[in-house]
Amino acid sequence: MEAERLIEVGRRALAGSRGALDVMAEAWQAQAVARAIGSRLAACGPLELRSEARALGEIGAGCSALDHPSVLSGGARAAQLSGMAEVRPTLSALALLLSEAGIALVGVACDTGEDNLYWQCIEAMDAADESLDRVHGMLRRLSEREREPERERDRDGPYDGIRGPAASAAGP
């Protein structure tokens, strides 16, 4: 499944979650999607994103919450990742999913009286926050890359590489 579509499926599932355990399962599904996208970008994404992407691919790996029955029953949605049409829209959608997961986890943590669930929420919030930081870092790098040709033009000025009006008045 294409990355943006997979993210949208995750957003809908998170929005439809009923109860703390469903929210937790969807938050960890979101984290698994983030890791899969990070791993994909680390392997074959733009060079300037690869270190951030590699770090994103490693966040939350090995967390016991992925063993939760609700995650296991449907399997990790991230395994369905087949490709990415465009990097920027995918990262923007992923940032939205991770933000929504973080907000949902705050709600669960505030409402629970169970210590174990509370600390699982805290762990999941930390992973979502760290992942979101990595995604924002990659989006910044993409913006810098897109502005680079503009900066090159600005350095040359209106004279296409000839410095100053005197150079153009002097002629060839």
Side-chain angles (χ1 to χ4, degrees):
M1 187 180 303
E2 199 276 326
E4 286 184 72
R5 185 167 172 236
L6 189 62
I7 291 167
E8 185 57 34
V9 167
R11 288 186 64 217
R12 275 190 248 120
L14 180 64
S17 295
R18 300 292 175 245
L21 296 179
D22 283 347
V23 170
M24 286 294 297
E26 288 305 325
W28 286 109
Q29 286 278 12
Q31 190 61 44
V33 168
R35 282 196 310 275
I37 289 171
S39 295
R40 177 73 54 103
L41 287 173
C44 55
L47 289 176
E48 63 268 25
L49 301 185
R50 290 190 180 175
S51 65
E52 289 276 358
R54 190 172 300 106
L56 177 62
E58 297 171 355
I59 296 170
C63 288
S64 60
L66 286 175
D67 295 333
H68 188 279
S70 337
V71 174
L72 290 176
S73 64
R77 205 174 285 125
Q80 298 174 24
L81 179 64
S82 61
M84 247 177 277
E86 293 183 49
V87 175
R88 177 180 292 287
T90 296
L91 290 174
S92 296
L94 182 58
L96 186 57
L97 173 62
L98 291 167
S99 296
E100 290 171 350
I103 291 167
L105 288 164
V106 168
V108 170
C110 289
D111 287 344
T112 190
E114 185 183 326
D115 278 351
N116 188 35
L117 182 58
Y118 173 81
W119 289 110
Q120 282 183 0
C121 283
I122 297 300
E123 183 181 349
M125 284 188 294
D126 286 346
D129 189 49
E130 187 178 350
S131 294
L132 188 57
D133 287 346
R134 297 292 179 176
V135 170
H136 283 154
M138 286 188 278
L139 287 168
R140 273 191 303 278
R141 287 183 192 268
L142 286 173
S143 292
E144 290 167 5
R145 180 178 77 172
E146 290 167 358
R147 283 193 304 265
E148 195 57 37
E150 192 175 293
R151 286 185 195 140
E152 292 296 321
R153 278 194 317 270
D154 289 346
R155 273 187 239 150
D156 288 342
Y159 303 103
D160 294 327
I162 300 172
R163 300 288 183 225
S168 64

